[in-house]
Structure formats: C-alpha cells, structure tokens
Amino acid sequence: QVQLEESGGGLVHPGGSLKLSCVTSGSNFSFNTMAWYRQAPGKERELVATINSRGARNYADSVKGRFTISRLIPRNTVYLQMNSLKPEDTGVYYCNANGKRGNDYDYWGRGTQVTVSS
C-alpha cells in the first residue's frame, strides 16, 4: 500500500521560510508526477507546484519566484522550499503522486499545516 507522509509545516512570520518534505513508502516504481497542493480555510484545494520524472517544474502564479519544488526520484521524495511567505500562503499542504502504470494512480498524503502570521 502506497503511503505519502508530509512534514515540515508550522507557524512562521511573514517573510519567513519553511521547507516541506514528503516521503513515500510502499511503492516499487518512480512516480510520473509529484505535486504539492494546498487548501486554505473555506477555500477549495489548489495546485501549488508539480515536478515530473524528468525534473520539469510548474508553479501556480501566486508562488512563482518564492517556492521551489524538488525531488529525489529513486526514493520518491519531494520537497517544497517556501520563501518570502505571506499570510495568504496559510493552509494545509498536501503531497500528491500521480501518473499511469497500467492503470491511472493518484495518491495523497494527509497534509501538514502551514500558518503564516505575525
């Protein structure tokens, strides 16, 4: 059974930094795409950043220039370095892995809370 586990969330002041990590277990293949999503209170979950197996990255406009996604492919580990954090970055951050291996797959972690507040 594939499991994703996020860590690294917490409380930070505006302008501060955090680095989120997502480690996986139960998989014997490299995921096509890994991603970070977030959900703010009262809002829908939104895509923050993605990275595929070739290292190609995409970011939401709201985080470009401030967040960096990276991954260790053999271990299906993904990171999100978040700099210049703003109060609007507050939310639960979820790790996702998706792709196709025979059938489509789509795995989620349980999330880690990030709070940006003075």
Side-chain angles (χ1 to χ4, degrees), residues 1 4 17-18 24 35 38-39 53 56-57 60 62 65 67 75 92-93 97-98 116:
Q1 181 179 359
L4 281 64
S17 298
L18 282 175
T24 64
R38 68 186 180 190
Q39 187 167 18
S53 57
R57 299 170 171 85
S62 59
F67 291 11
R75 283 179 278 175
V92 179
Y93 283 69
N98 65 82
V116 185

Short mmCIF file of all heavy atoms in Angstrom, two decimals, residues 1 4 17-18 24 35 38-39 53 56-57 60 62 65 67 75 92-93 97-98 116:
data_model
loop_
_atom_site.label_atom_id
_atom_site.label_comp_id
_atom_site.label_asym_id
_atom_site.label_seq_id
_atom_site.Cartn_x
_atom_site.Cartn_y
_atom_site.Cartn_z
N GLN A 1 0.84 -1.18 0.00
CA GLN A 1 0.00 0.00 0.00
C GLN A 1 0.88 1.24 0.00
O GLN A 1 1.76 1.40 0.83
CB GLN A 1 -0.89 0.01 1.24
CG GLN A 1 -1.83 1.20 1.30
CD GLN A 1 -2.72 1.15 2.53
OE1 GLN A 1 -2.66 0.21 3.33
NE2 GLN A 1 -3.54 2.17 2.70
N LEU A 4 1.98 8.36 1.52
CA LEU A 4 2.73 9.60 1.44
C LEU A 4 2.61 10.31 2.77
O LEU A 4 1.50 10.40 3.33
CB LEU A 4 2.18 10.51 0.33
CG LEU A 4 2.56 10.22 -1.11
CD1 LEU A 4 2.02 8.87 -1.58
CD2 LEU A 4 2.06 11.32 -2.03
N SER A 17 10.60 31.53 6.06
CA SER A 17 10.75 30.38 5.17
C SER A 17 10.40 29.09 5.89
O SER A 17 10.54 28.98 7.11
CB SER A 17 12.19 30.29 4.66
OG SER A 17 12.55 31.42 3.91
N LEU A 18 9.96 28.13 5.11
CA LEU A 18 9.74 26.76 5.58
C LEU A 18 10.10 25.82 4.45
O LEU A 18 9.97 26.17 3.27
CB LEU A 18 8.27 26.53 5.97
CG LEU A 18 7.76 27.05 7.31
CD1 LEU A 18 6.26 26.79 7.41
CD2 LEU A 18 8.49 26.40 8.46
N THR A 24 7.65 8.79 0.78
CA THR A 24 6.68 7.77 0.39
C THR A 24 7.18 6.39 0.78
O THR A 24 8.37 6.16 0.94
CB THR A 24 6.40 7.82 -1.12
OG1 THR A 24 7.61 7.49 -1.80
CG2 THR A 24 5.96 9.20 -1.55
N ALA A 35 3.52 16.34 -6.70
CA ALA A 35 2.99 17.70 -6.63
C ALA A 35 2.68 18.09 -5.19
O ALA A 35 2.55 17.24 -4.31
CB ALA A 35 1.72 17.82 -7.47
N ARG A 38 -2.50 22.88 -1.79
CA ARG A 38 -2.82 23.47 -0.50
C ARG A 38 -4.30 23.82 -0.46
O ARG A 38 -4.94 24.03 -1.49
CB ARG A 38 -1.97 24.72 -0.23
CG ARG A 38 -2.27 25.90 -1.13
CD ARG A 38 -1.28 27.03 -0.88
NE ARG A 38 -1.53 28.19 -1.72
CZ ARG A 38 -0.71 29.22 -1.83
NH1 ARG A 38 0.43 29.25 -1.13
NH2 ARG A 38 -1.02 30.24 -2.61
N GLN A 39 -4.78 23.88 0.76
CA GLN A 39 -6.18 24.25 0.97
C GLN A 39 -6.27 25.21 2.13
O GLN A 39 -5.91 24.86 3.27
CB GLN A 39 -7.04 23.01 1.24
CG GLN A 39 -8.52 23.31 1.29
CD GLN A 39 -9.37 22.05 1.23
OE1 GLN A 39 -8.90 20.96 1.48
NE2 GLN A 39 -10.63 22.21 0.86
N SER A 53 9.06 13.27 -13.69
CA SER A 53 10.22 12.39 -13.55
C SER A 53 11.44 12.90 -14.30
O SER A 53 12.56 12.43 -14.06
CB SER A 53 9.87 10.97 -14.01
OG SER A 53 9.41 11.01 -15.35
N ALA A 56 10.94 18.48 -14.87
CA ALA A 56 10.22 19.67 -15.34
C ALA A 56 9.27 20.15 -14.23
O ALA A 56 8.54 19.35 -13.65
CB ALA A 56 9.44 19.36 -16.60
N ARG A 57 9.28 21.45 -14.00
CA ARG A 57 8.52 22.03 -12.91
C ARG A 57 7.47 23.00 -13.41
O ARG A 57 7.67 23.68 -14.43
CB ARG A 57 9.45 22.79 -11.96
CG ARG A 57 10.52 21.95 -11.30
CD ARG A 57 11.52 22.85 -10.59
NE ARG A 57 12.47 22.12 -9.77
CZ ARG A 57 13.59 21.58 -10.21
NH1 ARG A 57 13.91 21.68 -11.50
NH2 ARG A 57 14.40 20.96 -9.38
N ALA A 60 2.10 27.51 -9.50
CA ALA A 60 0.98 28.45 -9.52
C ALA A 60 1.56 29.87 -9.59
O ALA A 60 2.63 30.14 -9.03
CB ALA A 60 0.14 28.30 -8.27
N SER A 62 0.80 32.43 -8.08
CA SER A 62 0.89 33.07 -6.77
C SER A 62 2.16 32.73 -6.00
O SER A 62 2.51 33.42 -5.04
CB SER A 62 -0.32 32.69 -5.92
OG SER A 62 -0.39 31.29 -5.76
N GLY A 65 8.67 32.31 -8.11
CA GLY A 65 9.74 33.16 -7.60
C GLY A 65 9.93 33.05 -6.10
O GLY A 65 10.93 33.56 -5.57
N PHE A 67 8.60 29.92 -4.21
CA PHE A 67 8.60 28.49 -3.86
C PHE A 67 9.43 27.70 -4.87
O PHE A 67 9.45 28.03 -6.07
CB PHE A 67 7.19 27.92 -3.86
CG PHE A 67 6.31 28.41 -2.75
CD1 PHE A 67 6.67 29.48 -1.93
CD2 PHE A 67 5.08 27.79 -2.50
CE1 PHE A 67 5.83 29.93 -0.92
CE2 PHE A 67 4.25 28.22 -1.49
CZ PHE A 67 4.62 29.29 -0.71
N ARG A 75 13.82 7.67 -4.50
CA ARG A 75 13.10 7.46 -3.26
C ARG A 75 11.72 8.11 -3.28
O ARG A 75 11.03 8.13 -2.27
CB ARG A 75 13.91 7.99 -2.07
CG ARG A 75 15.04 7.08 -1.67
CD ARG A 75 15.82 7.66 -0.51
NE ARG A 75 16.79 8.63 -0.98
CZ ARG A 75 17.55 9.36 -0.17
NH1 ARG A 75 17.43 9.25 1.14
NH2 ARG A 75 18.41 10.22 -0.65
N VAL A 92 -3.44 24.04 4.67
CA VAL A 92 -2.92 22.67 4.80
C VAL A 92 -2.30 22.30 3.46
O VAL A 92 -2.94 22.42 2.41
CB VAL A 92 -4.04 21.68 5.17
CG1 VAL A 92 -3.46 20.27 5.26
CG2 VAL A 92 -4.69 22.09 6.47
N TYR A 93 -1.06 21.86 3.51
CA TYR A 93 -0.32 21.50 2.30
C TYR A 93 -0.30 19.98 2.16
O TYR A 93 0.07 19.26 3.10
CB TYR A 93 1.10 22.06 2.37
CG TYR A 93 1.15 23.53 2.07
CD1 TYR A 93 0.60 24.45 2.95
CD2 TYR A 93 1.71 24.01 0.89
CE1 TYR A 93 0.61 25.82 2.67
CE2 TYR A 93 1.74 25.37 0.60
CZ TYR A 93 1.19 26.26 1.49
OH TYR A 93 1.21 27.61 1.21
N ALA A 97 0.99 12.22 -5.61
CA ALA A 97 1.74 11.50 -6.64
C ALA A 97 0.74 10.93 -7.62
O ALA A 97 -0.26 10.31 -7.22
CB ALA A 97 2.56 10.39 -6.01
N ASN A 98 0.98 11.14 -8.91
CA ASN A 98 0.01 10.65 -9.90
C ASN A 98 0.71 10.26 -11.18
O ASN A 98 1.85 10.64 -11.43
CB ASN A 98 -1.06 11.72 -10.15
CG ASN A 98 -0.50 12.98 -10.80
OD1 ASN A 98 -0.30 13.04 -12.01
ND2 ASN A 98 -0.21 13.98 -9.98
N VAL A 116 1.06 31.31 8.37
CA VAL A 116 1.90 32.49 8.24
C VAL A 116 1.19 33.64 8.94
O VAL A 116 0.15 34.11 8.48
CB VAL A 116 2.19 32.83 6.77
CG1 VAL A 116 3.17 34.01 6.69
CG2 VAL A 116 2.73 31.61 6.04
#
